[in-house]
Amino acid sequence: MSFLTLDLNLLRVFDAVMTEQNLTRAAGHLAMTQPAVSNAIKRLRESLGDELLIRTAYGVKPTPRAEALWPSVRSALASLEAAVTPETFDVSKAHATFRLAMADATAAFWLPSLMRSIEREAPGVNVRMVPLTTREPRPMLLRGDVDLAVGFFPGVAAQLSSDTSSPIRHERLYSGHYVCVMRRDHPLAKVELTLDNYCAANHLLVSFSGRAHGLVDEALAQIQRERRILLTVNQFFTAGRVVANSDLVTVLPKHLIASTGMTDALVHKELPFQLPAVHLDMLWHERDARSPAHKWLRANLEAMNTVVQKTAPGTAPRSDID
């Protein structure tokens, strides 16, 4: 193949398909028909002598040659786009609607500051919240159902750190630790919280799936202990209300206590065993990586995170979920 005879438009199509991992979505992004996209990929295959993309039940899977080629194509197209269309984004005049996926406590923690920033700087920006009911938000991002997901995604973050071909991008916002939470006049509130009396108590677990097994149970199993989960709920606010009005205890990130709305009725104690740190990440799709409005949103969350770390170190909005 001679580079001089290569149709460079094919690289733009290749970039869109790699970004979307789906021919139909790539066609929509490029304002082309799906057959036209397929034909362009076929021509690029013939030029490069590689299959590049293999069809699967869920879209297309890149070959090793495609994975190796994409970063260079992506970088070159980004440089050309920046040169041809210099960024002149004015957030005060922008009109955009963002769809964000967060758990209720995460939203309660971040949205007040975000709304103040939007009212002050970006009056034309709207936000639509989408329920986050899974620790695997990538399908929502790939389908374009949401523009940004914020939460605790340990398995996803680990995979993305080593997968350079994924169109999903991520950034860590925050790290924190867990505490045991109970009502202020709970029998355990005025005594030392030992492993024995912790395990003897009745427990509440915040679980998106309803499955009565979470991070704490995994940690207890490693030291041959267990607890009784009397109740599972799928909202942090509900967890706070129940714990404040019963003898159940729960495990939450320290700062999440405020998100329950029951701060005055609750106390917290350090756990009598070790749990891994909890991390809050934001995830977005490559298609939005260079969008000026999306970049403003991500920068805003990053700035808010700096304030949070100064005012509430060592905490983060995530529950003892499965």
Side-chain angles (χ1 to χ4, degrees):
M1 182 208 71
S2 170
F3 181 77
L4 295 177
T5 62
L6 178 66
D7 184 350
L8 297 183
N9 285 319
L10 302 181
L11 297 179
R12 182 166 166 265
V13 175
F14 169 73
D15 175 61
V17 175
M18 288 291 290
T19 297
E20 298 293 344
Q21 303 281 289
N22 183 282
L23 294 180
T24 301
R25 288 197 297 266
H29 177 74
L30 294 166
M32 297 171 61
T33 65
Q34 196 269 350
V37 169
S38 295
N39 183 60
I41 293 299
K42 178 183 177 182
R43 291 171 56 200
L44 187 60
R45 283 172 175 152
E46 294 171 349
S47 296
L48 299 180
D50 189 88
E51 280 297 301
L52 296 178
L53 299 156
I54 302 170
R55 288 185 180 272
T56 70
Y58 304 100
V60 291
K61 178 182 178 181
T63 65
R65 175 73 188 282
E67 291 181 354
L69 179 64
W70 190 36
S72 297
V73 171
R74 173 96 291 219
S75 176
L77 291 175
S79 296
L80 286 172
E81 182 179 4
V84 173
T85 57
E87 188 173 299
T88 57
F89 180 66
D90 184 349
V91 67
S92 66
K93 298 178 182 178
H95 291 274
T97 296
F98 295 115
R99 294 156 298 168
L100 310 184
M102 303 182 192
D104 67 308
T106 308
F109 189 57
W110 292 97
L111 286 184
S113 294
L114 179 60
M115 291 303 100
R116 287 194 296 271
S117 181
I118 288 175
E119 290 178 328
R120 182 176 61 252
E121 302 175 24
V125 169
N126 304 311
V127 173
R128 302 289 180 260
M129 295 304 301
V130 176
L132 181 64
T133 58
T134 175
R135 288 299 166 195
E136 176 49 283
R138 284 178 290 186
M140 292 191 295
L141 292 163
L142 287 169
R143 292 192 304 264
D145 295 341
V146 298
D147 302 301
L148 193 72
V150 179
F152 182 72
F153 313 116
V156 174
Q159 290 178 16
L160 292 177
S161 296
S162 59
D163 184 5
T164 57
S165 67
S166 173
I168 304 301
R169 301 290 174 255
H170 79 291
E171 180 176 333
R172 177 142 300 159
L173 287 176
Y174 204 69
S175 296
H177 74 282
Y178 297 101
V179 293
C180 181
V181 180
M182 63 195 74
R183 64 183 173 89
R184 191 165 292 279
D185 54 350
H186 192 283
L188 296 179
K190 293 182 172 58
V191 300
E192 179 186 0
L193 185 63
T194 66
L195 185 59
D196 286 338
N197 59 28
Y198 174 84
C199 291
N202 288 326
H203 294 259
L204 177 150
L205 169 66
V206 180
S207 169
F208 287 167
S209 68
R211 189 169 66 100
H213 188 87
L215 181 69
V216 166
D217 304 286
E218 295 172 5
L220 290 175
Q222 292 179 3
I223 55 175
Q224 288 77 53
R225 300 299 294 264
E226 61 182 8
R227 61 178 179 164
R228 182 199 175 196
I229 298 176
L230 191 153
L231 174 67
T232 66
V233 300
N234 60 8
Q235 290 187 332
F236 297 85
F237 178 77
T238 302
R241 299 287 293 186
V242 172
V243 170
N245 292 281
S246 70
D247 278 342
L248 274 66
V249 302
T250 192
V251 173
L252 302 173
K254 189 176 180 182
H255 192 80
L256 180 59
I257 299 171
S259 299
T260 68
M262 301 297 294
T263 306
D264 294 340
L266 299 173
V267 296
H268 67 272
K269 293 197 167 197
E270 297 298 320
L271 290 164
F273 54 91
Q274 293 294 316
L275 283 182
V278 57
H279 306 294
L280 192 73
D281 293 310
M282 62 176 174
L283 276 63
W284 66 96
H285 197 285
E286 173 67 25
R287 74 173 76 91
D288 296 315
R290 299 194 308 275
S291 162
H294 203 282
K295 287 168 67 175
W296 175 86
L297 175 66
R298 300 196 306 268
N300 200 284
L301 290 175
E302 292 168 5
M304 288 162 49
N305 176 56
T306 301
V307 174
V308 169
Q309 293 196 61
K310 289 180 179 179
T311 58
T315 61
R318 185 251 177 179
S319 72
D320 161 32
I321 67 167
D322 58 43

